[in-house]
Amino acid sequence: MKTLILGAGYSGLAVATKMKPAPGLEALMVEQNAYHTFETRLHEAAAHNTRVTLPLAPLLRGTGVNLEQAQVEGVNLDDREVTLKDGRVLTYDTLVVGLGSVTNFYRIPGLAENAAELKQLSDADDIFNFVNRAYTTEYQGNRDIVVGGAGLTGVELVTELAQRAQLLSKERGLPPFNIYLVEAGPKILPILDDGLRAKAQKTLEEYGIHILVGHRLMQATADSVTVQTADGEQKVIGAGKIIWTGGIQARDIVRGEKLEKGPGGRIAVDDKLRAKGYPDVFIIGDMGLALNQEGKPVPTTAQHAGQQGRLTGKNIMRMVKGEELEAYEPTTLGEFVSLGGLMAVGWMKLPWNQKLAITGGIAHVMKRASEWRWRVSID
């Protein structure tokens, strides 16, 4: 059984590390980088140049999965072909698509052209280099930063940047830059309840971050953004760096006559995470539109991508043995938001669908523990 695994993000890597060599199984992972990126820690790399990658080769040792470092150009499910950017075409018996998402700029004028993203290591490097340049005496431009989107990524990023700015201000005797967090919705961190959200907002305010909720980003230029309030008032905010974390959409790379797509371009899958109409194709992570027990879309988070990947890896081994596949039953173990340093807020799941709210250093430890669980699961 010739199996292709596309992508080495949280979902794809989880698939590969749950596989073992087996007679008749030929497995190949296609990934453009030689490393796996901890995307949930890219904000740390952007502010502090923290190492957030692991080389793939040691992780794949003993799995029977080979690595092909290449970029996927397109996937044709009807012809069972995967086209690579270098022109090569790969065929398969079983396919796993875990190519993740891209930033959704919502057609806001000038945003895609002028805003940085935080989706991969090079994005984090770009932001880190700007902060360092902004704290040199030679730098003459605007030093302020505007971050669009007050979800988990945006909030974690602004707190780390504020912490970095404080440190550099002390070291180099320059005033800290302004950080603006712009959110079209009425509140930051909609994934949290009101109590935890209030604690997070208080921390952001203590850092001196300008929180602009109810402000829709209307357009961007090379050195400014225009925002509009609910009553139609517009204002221009100057910026040396604009960063957009306000939305994602599935990578539009898969073609098939029977494909069904939902919100954000996500591909509808069955209870085994197979693309509807294509029983030999698993779509996992941000690209797949899996449903939970209530029939609602499963969130595009790292923990759910890992769950989907681990199940798919085990199901591929079941296919090899001729066994029945196991159904996907998603569970959310908790959600934690890092707020710089040793501060975090979040909740963890308790029996009988109860939630335990946790803040401060203990929440920070819990967030780190979830990351270590991921590392253990792929070793």
Side-chain angles (χ1 to χ4, degrees):
M1 187 173 80
K2 191 174 182 181
T3 301
L4 294 181
I5 304 167
L6 308 184
Y10 288 101
S11 60
L13 185 57
V15 174
T17 52
K18 286 302 170 192
M19 293 174 64
K20 300 291 181 201
L25 177 61
E26 179 187 339
L28 180 69
M29 169 177 276
V30 182
E31 163 60 42
Q32 62 182 338
N33 300 310
Y35 52 83
H36 166 71
T37 301
F38 295 100
E39 287 190 32
T40 56
R41 297 187 63 191
L42 280 172
H43 59 282
E44 296 177 37
H48 310 293
N49 204 26
T50 306
R51 184 185 170 196
V52 294
T53 61
L54 284 176
L56 285 172
L59 297 173
L60 297 178
R61 201 168 293 138
T63 64
V65 179
N66 294 311
L67 176 64
E68 179 69 39
Q69 197 173 333
Q71 188 171 346
V72 177
E73 183 82 8
V75 180
N76 187 319
L77 302 187
D78 297 320
D79 294 338
R80 290 176 172 261
E81 290 182 346
V82 174
T83 304
L84 305 181
K85 195 167 186 179
D86 60 17
R88 286 179 294 157
V89 177
L90 306 179
T91 58
Y92 61 85
D93 299 311
T94 305
L95 178 67
V96 179
V97 183
L99 291 169
S101 56
V102 294
T103 300
N104 189 344
F105 293 100
Y106 298 104
R107 300 180 181 174
I108 298 171
L111 191 59
E113 297 81 4
N114 295 297
E117 307 169 49
L118 192 57
K119 291 290 293 175
Q120 55 190 9
L121 191 60
S122 58
D123 299 328
D125 290 341
D126 174 56
I127 296 167
F128 179 78
N129 291 335
F130 168 79
V131 172
N132 274 357
R133 283 199 314 274
Y135 273 95
T136 61
T137 52
E138 297 81 20
Y139 186 79
Q140 298 296 316
N142 190 319
R143 301 164 65 239
D144 295 344
I145 295 178
V146 171
V147 175
L152 193 146
T153 301
V155 168
E156 291 191 325
L157 176 61
V158 294
T159 53
E160 295 289 349
L161 289 175
Q163 191 179 62
R164 177 70 174 162
Q166 288 178 356
L167 179 67
L168 290 175
S169 291
K170 289 177 184 176
E171 285 182 356
R172 304 182 186 181
L174 294 170
F177 44 58
N178 290 303
I179 301 174
Y180 297 89
L181 182 61
V182 178
E183 170 57 48
K187 55 194 175 185
I188 67 170
L189 295 172
I191 61 168
L192 298 183
D193 64 28
D194 290 341
L196 291 173
R197 185 182 305 110
K199 284 184 168 60
Q201 180 146 341
K202 184 172 183 290
T203 301
L204 266 62
E205 290 167 350
E206 288 171 351
Y207 275 122
I209 295 162
H210 304 277
I211 304 169
L212 304 178
V213 295
H215 285 66
R216 185 174 298 279
L217 204 154
M218 304 301 292
Q219 70 173 37
T221 68
D223 56 7
S224 72
V225 298
T226 301
V227 297
Q228 179 174 293
T229 60
D231 58 11
E233 179 190 353
Q234 291 195 359
K235 53 186 170 185
V236 177
I237 304 171
K241 194 70 171 174
I242 303 163
I243 307 166
W244 179 249
T245 68
I248 61 170
Q249 59 189 11
R251 199 176 290 276
D252 185 21
I253 206 167
V254 180
R255 299 288 178 267
E257 287 292 332
K258 294 174 281 187
L259 272 186
E260 297 178 29
K261 292 192 176 183
R266 296 168 73 184
I267 297 171
V269 298
D270 64 14
D271 65 343
K272 310 296 194 303
L273 301 175
R274 299 172 299 188
K276 291 184 177 180
Y278 298 92
D280 296 318
V281 179
F282 296 87
I283 311 285
I284 55 177
D286 290 358
M287 292 188 70
L289 183 60
L291 303 179
N292 64 16
Q293 292 83 344
E294 289 79 44
K296 296 179 180 178
V298 173
T300 53
T301 65
Q303 67 172 303
H304 292 105
Q307 288 174 19
Q308 293 170 19
R310 287 189 289 274
L311 175 68
T312 300
K314 292 174 182 176
N315 274 340
I316 289 172
M317 300 311 297
R318 291 186 180 100
M319 290 174 72
V320 173
K321 298 172 186 174
E323 299 173 357
E324 193 169 329
L325 302 191
E326 187 179 316
Y328 174 54
E329 295 185 7
T331 180
T332 302
L333 302 175
E335 196 70 71
F336 289 91
V337 182
S338 172
L339 298 173
L342 300 179
M343 179 64 184
V345 299
W347 61 272
M348 64 178 291
K349 184 179 181 182
L350 296 176
W352 301 290
N353 283 327
Q354 296 298 306
K355 293 181 180 180
L356 176 64
I358 306 173
T359 63
I362 297 176
H364 171 79
V365 170
M366 294 301 297
K367 184 172 175 64
R368 281 287 183 263
S370 67
E371 292 163 357
W372 277 106
R373 277 199 301 273
W374 165 246
R375 291 192 66 150
V376 168
S377 75
I378 58 175
D379 280 342

